[in-house]
């Protein structure tokens, strides 16, 4: 008989709730029509999509018209970032056109000014050959950090490599594990168009000061030649379904929703503030039949959208219970680890000044031959990871290094993330499993 496996990698992905499976199955069976069709079969599918949109909106505290469905978090992040780049370029062209018109109207007031204005730019050098600050700021500037998901930072690197944007990675605080407000403000430039910061980190579980960053950015007075507005985006993948999330409280312009992180299907959604009234721009990545109000063309995936709606409804109704249960289980896990390994235990995401997700424990068990990937290889019961699923599992986490964790400690890290239904008994079995794994490695050393 095979030994029971205990999964503690819920920050990587989650299983579907049984109600979500039922909802998806019913939608695929009964609502298979094209949502754009005008007959009853199409209207049934459209009604299910509308309800799902409402449920996602309720989860994040907004109205349905602010939600656009996507294939997943990567598409959502890319779409938001590309939008602000396009918006910057549109505003720049608009300003250039207005300036040219203004120069044409005022450039010939008298002979002297005519000569001067016809040949000189705003900074007193010949137009087309000026090396001023204004020219240095022709590309959009985006502020991120080294803790962001590759869906954000790999795309930013692409924009940087193709000369479509300038990117700054603001420093993380080794005292809090967070992207602090002052570190963001320090990087603001005249051409800054976006600050993107995840709501909670996938490896440490540390909740980022997104509201405080939004408040600080909103208070910046922008001058002539500077971007009129700096947008703020947060990828809420790890926070949704674990802690309450409200976009009005956060004050963000954009938010990314990822279904498979909270017991839903592997699709996602974009939140854009007051999208209906165009307060926040959103440009499509794809072009086609005009679905999702032209923001995301392509025949809608009714079954998965229905599942995302149901997962959102369940999370919204039960968030307090889920948060309490997971916190209790995670705290018990950390207590038992200290009991089992004593001073060899080093918690990598626990900072006195910072809040954490209720389910996440990033821990290093120190000692010779106890690197994280080796420990997991010897485990017979535990299924977990040393960090984000999309990162190499035999290297120290770049995120831990970025928040000041020494490399030798980071190499020993394990990311243990409990789920909604993880039990105290499960934790006891996991700790015993870790003990035997560490002992086996000690014997081999």
């Amino acid at each position: 008989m095979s030994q029971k496996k205990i999964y503690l990698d819920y920050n990587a992905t989650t299983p579907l709730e049984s109600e979500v499976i039922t909802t998806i199955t019913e939608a695929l069976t009964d609502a298979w029509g094209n949502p754009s069709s005008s007959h009853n079969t199409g209207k049934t599918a459209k009604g299910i999509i509308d309800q799902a949109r409402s449920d996602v909106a309720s989860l994040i505290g907004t109205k349905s018209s602010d939600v656009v469905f996507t294939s997943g978090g990567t598409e959502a992040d890319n779409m938001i970032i590309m939008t602000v780049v396009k918006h910057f370029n549109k505003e720049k062209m608009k300003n250039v056109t207005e300036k040219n018109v203004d120069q044409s109207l005022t450039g010939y007031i008298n002979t002297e000014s005519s000569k001067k204005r016809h040949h000189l730019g705003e900074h007193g050098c010949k137009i087309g050959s000026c090396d001023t600050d204004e020219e240095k700021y022709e590309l959009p500037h985006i502020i991120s950090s080294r803790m962001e998901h590759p869906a954000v930072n790999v795309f930013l690197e692409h924009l940087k490599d193709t000369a479509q944007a300038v990117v700054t990675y603001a420093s993380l605080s080794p005292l809090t594990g967070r992207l602090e407000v002052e570190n963001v403000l320090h990087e603001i430039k005249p051409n800054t168009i976006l600050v993107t910061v995840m709501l909670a980190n996938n490896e440490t579980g540390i909740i980022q000061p997104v509201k405080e960053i939004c408040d600080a950015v909103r208070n910046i007075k922008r001058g002539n030649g500077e971007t009129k507005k700096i947008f703020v985006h947060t990828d809420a993948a790890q926070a949704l379904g674990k802690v309450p999330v409200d976009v009005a409280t956060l004050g963000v312009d954009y938010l990314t929703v990822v279904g498979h992180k909270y017991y839903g299907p592997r699709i996602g959604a974009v939140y854009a503030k007051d999208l209906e009234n165009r307060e926040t721009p959103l440009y499509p990545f794809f072009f086609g039949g005009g679905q999702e109000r032209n923001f995301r063309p392509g025949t809608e995936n009714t079954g998965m959208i229905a599942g995302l709606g149901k997962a959102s409804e369940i999370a919204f109704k039960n968030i307090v219970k889920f948060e309490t249960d997971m916190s209790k289980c995670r705290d018990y896990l950390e207590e038992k680890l200290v009991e089992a390994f004593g001073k060899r235990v080093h918690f990598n995401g626990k900072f006195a000044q910072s809040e954490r997700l209720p389910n996440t424990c990033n821990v290093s068990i120190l000692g010779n031959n106890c690197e994280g990937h080796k420990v997991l290889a010897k485990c017979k019961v535990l299924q977990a990871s040393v960090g984000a699923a999309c990162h190499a599992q035999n290297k120290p986490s770049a995120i831990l290094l970025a928040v000041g964790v020494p490399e030798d400690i980071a190499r020993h890290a394990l990311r243990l993330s409990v789920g909604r239904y993880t039990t105290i008994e499960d934790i006891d079995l996991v700790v015993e499993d870790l003990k035997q794994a560490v002992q086996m490695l000690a014997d081999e050393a």
Side-chain angles (χ1 to χ4, degrees), residues 198-232:
M198 57 172 47
L199 188 49
N201 185 256
N202 49 325
E203 293 193 20
T204 64
I206 295 170
I207 297 173
Q208 302 300 310
V210 174
K211 180 185 185 305
E212 291 79 4
I213 290 172
C214 281
D215 290 344
V217 167
R218 297 289 179 258
N219 287 329
I220 297 172
K221 295 192 187 310
R222 304 299 274 166
N224 292 332
E226 298 183 324
T227 52
K228 293 178 182 177
K229 180 176 181 178
I230 300 173
F231 297 99
V232 180

Side-chain angles (χ1 to χ4, degrees), residues 31 136 287 424:
K136 294 175 185 175
F287 298 88
I424 296 299

Side-chain angles (χ1 to χ4, degrees), residues 213-356:
I213 290 172
C214 281
D215 290 344
V217 167
R218 297 289 179 258
N219 287 329
I220 297 172
K221 295 192 187 310
R222 304 299 274 166
N224 292 332
E226 298 183 324
T227 52
K228 293 178 182 177
K229 180 176 181 178
I230 300 173
F231 297 99
V232 180
H233 161 241
T234 189
D235 184 332
Q238 290 297 337
L240 289 168
K242 296 169 188 164
V243 294
V245 175
D246 184 272
V247 292
T249 300
L250 292 173
V252 294
D253 301 292
Y254 300 103
L255 180 142
T256 298
V257 175
V258 182
H260 75 97
K261 301 295 188 181
Y262 61 100
Y263 295 75
R266 289 173 186 171
I267 65 165
V270 164
Y271 157 79
K273 184 179 181 181
D274 205 6
L275 189 56
E276 194 172 29
N277 295 315
R278 297 297 193 270
E279 178 177 330
T280 305
L282 189 66
Y283 298 119
F285 233 23
F286 308 121
F287 298 88
Q291 291 87 352
E292 288 295 289
R293 295 160 288 162
N294 278 315
F295 294 119
R296 209 292 185 178
T299 304
E300 298 91 337
N301 189 347
T302 306
M304 297 305 109
I305 290 173
L308 182 65
K310 178 56 71 172
S312 300
E313 177 193 343
I314 293 168
F316 180 65
K317 289 180 177 177
N318 299 280
I319 191 63
V320 174
K321 182 181 186 307
F322 291 156
E323 183 178 13
T324 301
D325 290 350
M326 287 188 287
S327 181
K328 178 181 175 182
C329 207
R330 189 272 313 276
D331 292 348
Y332 179 76
L333 168 63
E334 292 183 345
E335 290 172 11
K336 298 303 288 184
L337 287 171
V338 172
E339 283 183 22
F341 301 104
K343 292 182 179 180
R344 295 177 65 185
V345 168
H346 184 280
F347 294 112
N348 301 311
K350 290 182 82 169
F351 294 87
Q353 306 95 317
S354 303
E355 292 184 72
R356 287 186 297 163

Side-chain angles (χ1 to χ4, degrees), residues 154-223:
V154 171
F155 187 51
L156 291 181
E157 285 298 303
H158 164 72
L159 294 177
K160 183 175 157 185
D161 292 344
T162 54
Q164 296 182 69
V166 177
V167 180
T168 298
Y169 296 103
S171 299
L172 301 174
S173 169
L175 300 178
T176 64
R178 308 192 312 179
L179 176 59
E180 296 297 345
V181 173
E182 56 267 28
N183 292 353
V184 173
L185 296 182
H186 179 73
E187 304 297 347
I188 298 290
K189 294 177 172 56
N191 56 330
T192 302
I193 190 70
L194 177 69
V195 176
T196 177
V197 52
M198 57 172 47
L199 188 49
N201 185 256
N202 49 325
E203 293 193 20
T204 64
I206 295 170
I207 297 173
Q208 302 300 310
V210 174
K211 180 185 185 305
E212 291 79 4
I213 290 172
C214 281
D215 290 344
V217 167
R218 297 289 179 258
N219 287 329
I220 297 172
K221 295 192 187 310
R222 304 299 274 166

Side-chain angles (χ1 to χ4, degrees), residues 74 76 88 229 324 328 333 371 406-407 414:
T74 296
F88 177 93
K229 180 176 181 178
T324 301
K328 178 181 175 182
L333 168 63
E371 290 87 350
E407 184 174 342
L414 302 171

Side-chain angles (χ1 to χ4, degrees), residues 22-33 40-42 44-45 48 302:
T22 300
T23 297
I24 292 172
T25 302
E26 289 176 350
L28 292 174
T29 304
D30 303 328
W32 46 266
N40 287 340
T41 303
T44 298
I48 286 173
T302 306

